[in-house]
Amino acid sequence: MTVLNHLLNAPDLDRSERYAAILGERPSLGARSPSLWNAVFEAEGLDVFFHPFDVAADQLEPLVAALKADPRFVGGAVAVPYKTALVPLVDRVEPAASRIGAVNCLYRDGEALCAANSDGLAARDVLREALGAATLGGRRILVIGIGGAGAAIAATLADDLDGEGCVVLANRDRAKAEALAARIGARAKVIDWPLRAAGLAGVDVLVNATSLGFAPVGDAARAANRRLTAVGAAEAAAENISESILLLDALPPHALVFDAVYQPRETMLLHLAAGRGLAILGGAGMNLEQAVIGFGKAVQGIDPTRVRAIMFQVP
């Protein structure tokens, strides 16, 4: 425990017999996993508590080593920016997550610490429900951003397609998109970034898996993260909104716009898409489903339907 206390600024790990955690840069500032998992632990009378672990990059490797060595750790979740960095640090990675190159949940299998990715499965399930379809069939799906979540979503959705269906990847780093497309196979295609209206023609589902917004925002908006003046930030936001509207207008009227971001529940992208008359889907459902899947891997013996019902009640 000494190592964990040192790495994590002495969290109260002794408050329960066992514990779970989400590992990320700053999950303590708003991650929902602690609330979701702890609601189930309390309802089931389990002496387990889920902690948000704020982890600096240079602490990640020793932290994972300490978690491996602590049998009280049952597993948990992985948040940005460590979904890729965790892959070589665990004892075993499930094949689907290995193909994606990113993980978002941890669990124990005996003494081994294992990792998996539930982002893609969760996205697939909520999209099927929103579309009222058993599979995604022959749809053309555009995925913007291929970080840990975006890569998982793209790969899993591609596996659910048939016929003329394809997943189109748009990413600032084209080489990264090409590499993912090669791993996914023939159903994946890559288009240029920044997006152009022509790239949205014929798209049935647009998935935003970035955290920066929809339209390219240029150097001015990126500089907002470096204390850009309020006026400059407002100008960059206005430019982003204008570009987003033009691109959304290029989508077919039947298209669904899915934003994987779950906070806020209605992002600016979804607000703009709804204003253009397009169907929209927020990330809250995906967030819930990936939590249900991850919980089931870490904690055995509880019906997933009950887990989902309990988590659904969490504000």
Side-chain angles (χ1 to χ4, degrees):
M1 281 303 191
T2 303
V3 174
L4 286 171
N5 288 340
H6 172 71
L7 291 171
L8 298 167
N9 194 25
D12 187 14
L13 298 181
D14 293 327
R15 66 180 294 167
S16 60
E17 179 183 2
R18 295 177 296 161
Y19 65 95
I22 178 170
L23 283 60
E25 189 172 46
R26 295 300 297 275
S28 66
L29 296 183
R32 291 191 72 222
S33 295
S35 297
L36 296 173
W37 287 51
N38 284 330
V40 182
F41 292 146
E42 182 177 356
E44 294 295 303
L46 300 176
D47 191 11
V48 190
F49 192 82
F50 194 111
H51 299 269
F53 284 178
D54 295 343
V55 187
D58 61 353
Q59 296 176 336
L60 185 63
E61 186 170 355
L63 172 61
V64 174
L67 294 175
K68 285 182 185 180
D70 187 357
R72 297 176 59 203
F73 177 66
V74 301
V78 182
V80 293
Y82 302 131
K83 293 186 177 186
T84 300
L86 252 291
V87 172
L89 302 182
V90 298
D91 296 310
R92 187 169 70 249
V93 178
E94 290 188 0
S98 181
R99 173 191 175 203
I100 295 163
V103 300
N104 76 323
C105 54
L106 299 170
Y107 64 96
R108 283 196 178 278
D109 183 6
E111 295 184 357
L113 183 61
C114 306
N117 198 308
S118 62
D119 281 332
L121 292 174
R124 180 201 66 189
D125 290 349
V126 297
L127 276 174
R128 283 178 177 178
E129 182 178 4
L131 295 167
T135 71
L136 297 177
R139 291 175 172 85
R140 183 178 180 89
I141 301 174
L142 171 61
V143 178
I144 304 170
I146 55 167
I153 291 169
T156 307
L157 298 189
D159 288 342
D160 204 46
L161 296 169
D162 59 31
E164 297 298 316
C166 68
V167 168
V168 181
L169 307 177
N171 192 63
R172 186 169 284 109
D173 183 344
R174 186 183 176 97
K176 184 177 179 181
E178 296 281 7
L180 176 61
R183 296 199 301 274
I184 291 175
R187 291 201 180 278
K189 307 178 187 303
V190 177
I191 61 173
D192 290 336
W193 183 273
L195 289 173
R196 296 290 181 263
L200 280 77
V203 168
D204 300 298
V205 179
L206 184 152
V207 180
N208 176 43
T210 76
S211 59
L212 296 178
F214 177 37
V217 294
D219 293 337
R222 285 192 289 275
N225 294 325
R226 299 192 296 273
R227 298 183 177 83
L228 186 69
T229 66
V231 172
E235 290 174 350
E239 177 186 356
N240 179 249
I241 290 171
S242 297
E243 292 179 5
S244 294
I245 290 173
L246 290 174
L247 291 171
L248 289 169
D249 281 344
L251 288 170
H254 70 270
L256 169 71
V257 177
F258 171 36
D259 199 330
V261 173
Y262 65 89
Q263 291 178 334
R265 285 184 174 266
E266 183 174 300
T267 63
M268 179 58 72
L269 171 61
L270 295 181
H271 178 74
L272 295 174
R276 315 316 285 178
L278 299 169
I280 62 172
L281 177 64
M286 173 182 160
N287 178 256
L288 174 63
E289 287 304 312
Q290 62 89 10
V292 172
I293 296 168
F295 187 95
K297 290 181 177 295
V299 184
Q300 305 295 315
I302 305 178
D303 186 338
T305 302
R306 174 160 172 76
V307 172
R308 184 179 294 104
I310 295 170
M311 289 185 173
F312 184 78
Q313 298 300 318
V314 177

